[in-house]
Amino acid sequence: METIYLDHAAATPVNPKALQAMMPYFQEDFYNPSAPYLPAKHVREAYEDAKSELAHVIGAKGTDLVITSGATESINLAFTAVSSYDNASSGKQGKILILATEHTAVIEAAKIYPHATIAVNRQGMIDLKDLRTQLDDDVVLVSVSLANNELGSTQPLAEIARILRDERSVRLARGLKTPLYLHSDASQALGLIDISVARLGVDLLTLNAAKCGGPKGIGALYVGHGIKLQSISRGGGQERGLRSGTENVPGMIGFATAARESHDHLTYHRKQYQEMAQLLRRELAHIPIISQDSEKVKHKPLPEPVFLGNPQHQLANFVPVSFPGIDAERLIYKLEEKGVLVSTGAACAANKGTKSHVLSAIGLSDAEIAGSLRISLGSTNTLDQIKRAIDIITSIIEAEYRRCFSRGYGATASTSAPALRRQALATRPEQNSADTPQCGGDNA
């Protein structure tokens, strides 16, 4: 049975060219880049060249990047900009504003500091009026993701940056020297949007290799000039003393290659995704309920699917959709049985079985949240695959609605999602609950 992978927002397969570029640095050029002999110096050069290549993709220089273990570490490092500021005049600690729909890594990192959340509308777009209202004198950092990991909603960062520039000017005119930085988690957007740090107006930008065809376990943080951060990993002083530890050379080579490849083919892939996404939306919007033997089922009104986010401000490969009244957790296990892999949202929330804070923030009802799927496309998908996936998805959804209606609309199916999960694991002797990956986050 063919597996159709439609969860590229969680992780992408490593780009073949990236994998090929990485291979020599596992055995042939394995040297520690800090060692003094010539072969190690060549490895150092390759590492720095890869940093420059990655930086070029976002319109920066290699010296602007700090390489980390992933987006989560990059976010935590970025937020130390608040710790580096000491408001001696007021005695108050710097404050952070984050979007209500931010990734869990941002939410948890912000909890270390005084913080508040910025409201969003039902499509997941930032409420700029609320941002302006909350920009008091203690705010040092505003964190808004370039693209949301559950909705694919893209935020107007350039407009947000303009608001912050205006606020800085007002502060200076009043004699206040409190800095004000803009951080963005661009993990989900790299390879899907043409990113320029200058055009976006960001001071700090988080990147993640695993979302653009690179290897897992490596990320980067762009740091604008003059921004002071505090190390959260002490040791040998690598990465300007901000992230000590022997450099992940193969990972850096793979990251840079994947980022360049995805950037070079951005327009081509975006057109592919748009065609596939349009087909998915069109077909999923009209799923018939056909009853052969039950007038009760036949005449029940079918809840219309709710497509989430704003297609005009959304990553081209995202099709987040809710089927109110259906248990989406049960649905993903049914789809897995047929070879279609999708998710109910962020990987960490799905693994914990918790309700999505993102979907709650945009005002979805409990029924809409419970019935939500995140379909995310990737470069390995074909139009034929999408057509087959549509046939499978529609048939299972139709069957699930029939089941619900036959038991009374909204009734719980006879076999729960956790029970289905246990059945699935039981068919895989090599996997058990202890092997199930713990939450590292979609961006981790």
Side-chain angles (χ1 to χ4, degrees), residues 27-56:
Q27 288 189 319
E28 299 168 24
D29 298 317
F30 60 88
Y31 308 99
N32 188 321
S34 297
Y37 32 81
L38 189 58
K41 291 182 182 297
H42 289 325
V43 170
R44 165 63 64 187
E45 290 175 2
Y47 181 82
E48 297 299 337
D49 287 346
K51 281 182 69 173
S52 295
E53 184 177 23
L54 174 61
H56 180 74

Coordinates of all heavy atoms in Angstrom, one line a residue, residues 27-56:
Q27 N 32.3 10.7 7.7 CA 33.5 9.8 7.7 C 34.8 10.4 7.2 O 35.8 10.4 7.8 CB 33.1 8.5 7.0 CG 32.1 7.7 7.8 CD 32.0 6.3 7.3 OE1 32.0 6.1 6.0 NE2 31.9 5.3 8.1
E28 N 34.7 11.0 6.0 CA 35.9 11.5 5.3 C 36.4 12.8 6.0 O 37.5 12.9 6.4 CB 35.6 11.7 3.8 CG 35.2 10.4 3.1 CD 34.7 10.8 1.7 OE1 35.1 11.8 1.1 OE2 33.9 10.0 1.1
D29 N 35.5 13.8 6.1 CA 35.9 15.1 6.6 C 35.2 15.2 8.0 O 34.4 16.2 8.2 CB 35.4 16.2 5.7 CG 36.1 16.1 4.3 OD1 37.3 15.9 4.3 OD2 35.4 16.3 3.3
F30 N 35.5 14.3 8.9 CA 34.9 14.3 10.2 C 35.5 15.2 11.2 O 35.0 15.3 12.4 CB 34.9 12.8 10.7 CG 36.3 12.3 10.9 CD1 37.0 12.6 12.1 CD2 37.0 11.7 9.9 CE1 38.4 12.1 12.2 CE2 38.3 11.2 10.0 CZ 39.0 11.5 11.2
Y31 N 36.5 15.9 10.9 CA 37.4 16.6 11.8 C 36.6 17.7 12.6 O 35.7 18.3 12.1 CB 38.6 17.2 11.1 CG 39.3 16.2 10.3 CD1 39.1 16.2 8.9 CD2 40.3 15.4 10.8 CE1 39.8 15.3 8.1 CE2 40.9 14.4 10.1 CZ 40.7 14.4 8.7 OH 41.4 13.5 7.9
N32 N 37.1 17.9 13.8 CA 36.6 19.0 14.6 C 37.0 20.3 14.0 O 38.2 20.5 13.9 CB 37.1 18.9 16.1 CG 36.5 19.8 17.0 OD1 36.2 21.0 16.7 ND2 36.2 19.4 18.2
P33 N 36.1 21.2 13.7 CA 36.5 22.4 13.0 C 37.3 23.4 13.9 O 37.9 24.3 13.4 CB 35.2 23.1 12.6 CG 34.2 22.4 13.5 CD 34.7 21.1 13.8
S34 N 37.5 23.1 15.2 CA 38.3 23.9 16.0 C 39.7 23.4 16.2 O 40.5 24.0 16.8 CB 37.6 24.0 17.4 OG 36.4 24.7 17.4
A35 N 40.0 22.2 15.6 CA 41.3 21.6 15.7 C 42.3 22.5 14.8 O 41.9 23.1 13.9 CB 41.3 20.2 15.2
P36 N 43.6 22.4 15.2 CA 44.6 23.3 14.5 C 45.2 22.8 13.2 O 45.8 23.6 12.5 CB 45.7 23.4 15.6 CG 45.7 22.1 16.3 CD 44.2 21.7 16.3
Y37 N 45.0 21.5 12.8 CA 45.7 21.0 11.6 C 44.8 21.3 10.4 O 43.7 21.7 10.4 CB 46.0 19.5 11.8 CG 44.9 18.8 12.6 CD1 43.7 18.4 12.0 CD2 45.2 18.5 13.9 CE1 42.8 17.7 12.8 CE2 44.3 17.8 14.7 CZ 43.1 17.4 14.1 OH 42.2 16.8 14.9
L38 N 45.5 21.2 9.2 CA 44.9 21.6 8.0 C 43.6 21.0 7.6 O 42.7 21.7 7.2 CB 46.0 21.4 6.8 CG 45.6 22.0 5.5 CD1 45.4 23.5 5.6 CD2 46.7 21.7 4.5
P39 N 43.5 19.6 7.7 CA 42.2 19.0 7.4 C 41.0 19.6 8.2 O 39.9 19.8 7.7 CB 42.3 17.5 7.7 CG 43.8 17.3 7.6 CD 44.4 18.6 8.1
A40 N 41.3 19.9 9.4 CA 40.2 20.5 10.3 C 39.9 22.0 9.8 O 38.8 22.4 9.9 CB 40.7 20.5 11.7
K41 N 41.0 22.7 9.4 CA 40.7 24.0 8.9 C 39.9 24.0 7.6 O 39.1 24.9 7.4 CB 42.1 24.7 8.6 CG 42.9 25.0 9.9 CD 44.2 25.7 9.6 CE 45.0 26.0 10.8 NZ 44.3 26.9 11.8
H42 N 40.0 23.0 6.8 CA 39.2 22.9 5.6 C 37.7 22.7 6.0 O 36.8 23.2 5.4 CB 39.7 21.7 4.7 CG 41.0 22.0 4.0 ND1 41.3 23.3 3.6 CD2 42.0 21.2 3.7 CE1 42.5 23.2 3.0 NE2 42.9 22.0 3.1
V43 N 37.5 21.9 7.1 CA 36.2 21.7 7.6 C 35.6 23.0 8.1 O 34.4 23.3 7.9 CB 36.2 20.6 8.7 CG1 34.8 20.5 9.4 CG2 36.5 19.2 8.1
R44 N 36.5 23.7 8.8 CA 36.0 25.0 9.3 C 35.6 25.9 8.2 O 34.5 26.6 8.2 CB 37.1 25.7 10.1 CG 37.0 27.2 10.4 CD 35.8 27.5 11.2 NE 35.9 26.9 12.6 CZ 34.9 26.9 13.5 NH1 33.7 27.5 13.2 NH2 35.1 26.4 14.7
E45 N 36.3 25.9 7.1 CA 36.0 26.7 5.9 C 34.6 26.3 5.3 O 33.8 27.2 5.0 CB 37.1 26.6 4.9 CG 38.4 27.3 5.3 CD 39.5 27.1 4.2 OE1 39.2 26.4 3.2 OE2 40.6 27.6 4.5
A46 N 34.4 25.0 5.3 CA 33.2 24.5 4.7 C 32.0 24.9 5.6 O 30.9 25.2 5.1 CB 33.2 23.0 4.6
Y47 N 32.2 24.8 6.9 CA 31.2 25.2 7.9 C 30.8 26.7 7.7 O 29.6 27.0 7.6 CB 31.7 24.9 9.3 CG 30.7 25.2 10.4 CD1 29.7 24.4 10.7 CD2 30.8 26.4 11.1 CE1 28.8 24.7 11.7 CE2 29.9 26.7 12.1 CZ 28.9 25.8 12.4 OH 28.0 26.1 13.4
E48 N 31.8 27.5 7.7 CA 31.6 29.0 7.6 C 30.9 29.3 6.2 O 30.1 30.2 6.1 CB 32.8 29.8 7.8 CG 33.5 29.6 9.2 CD 32.5 30.1 10.3 OE1 31.7 30.9 10.0 OE2 32.7 29.6 11.4
D49 N 31.4 28.6 5.1 CA 30.8 28.9 3.8 C 29.3 28.5 3.8 O 28.5 29.2 3.2 CB 31.5 28.1 2.8 CG 32.9 28.6 2.4 OD1 33.2 29.8 2.8 OD2 33.7 27.9 1.8
A50 N 29.0 27.4 4.5 CA 27.6 27.0 4.6 C 26.7 28.0 5.4 O 25.6 28.3 5.0 CB 27.5 25.6 5.3
K51 N 27.3 28.5 6.4 CA 26.6 29.6 7.2 C 26.3 30.8 6.3 O 25.2 31.4 6.3 CB 27.4 30.1 8.4 CG 27.4 29.1 9.6 CD 28.2 29.7 10.8 CE 27.5 30.9 11.4 NZ 28.2 31.3 12.6
S52 N 27.3 31.2 5.5 CA 27.1 32.3 4.6 C 26.1 32.0 3.5 O 25.3 32.9 3.2 CB 28.4 32.7 3.9 OG 29.4 33.1 4.9
E53 N 26.0 30.7 3.1 CA 25.1 30.3 2.1 C 23.6 30.4 2.6 O 22.7 30.9 2.0 CB 25.4 28.9 1.6 CG 24.5 28.4 0.5 CD 24.9 27.1 0.0 OE1 25.5 26.3 0.7 OE2 24.5 26.7 -1.2
L54 N 23.5 29.9 3.9 CA 22.2 30.0 4.5 C 21.8 31.4 4.8 O 20.6 31.8 4.5 CB 22.2 29.2 5.9 CG 21.0 29.3 6.7 CD1 19.8 28.7 6.0 CD2 21.2 28.6 8.1
A55 N 22.7 32.2 5.2 CA 22.4 33.6 5.5 C 22.0 34.4 4.2 O 21.1 35.2 4.3 CB 23.6 34.3 6.1
H56 N 22.6 34.0 3.1 CA 22.3 34.7 1.8 C 20.9 34.4 1.5 O 20.2 35.3 0.9 CB 23.2 34.1 0.8 CG 23.0 34.7 -0.6 ND1 23.4 36.0 -0.9 CD2 22.4 34.2 -1.7 CE1 23.0 36.3 -2.2 NE2 22.4 35.2 -2.7

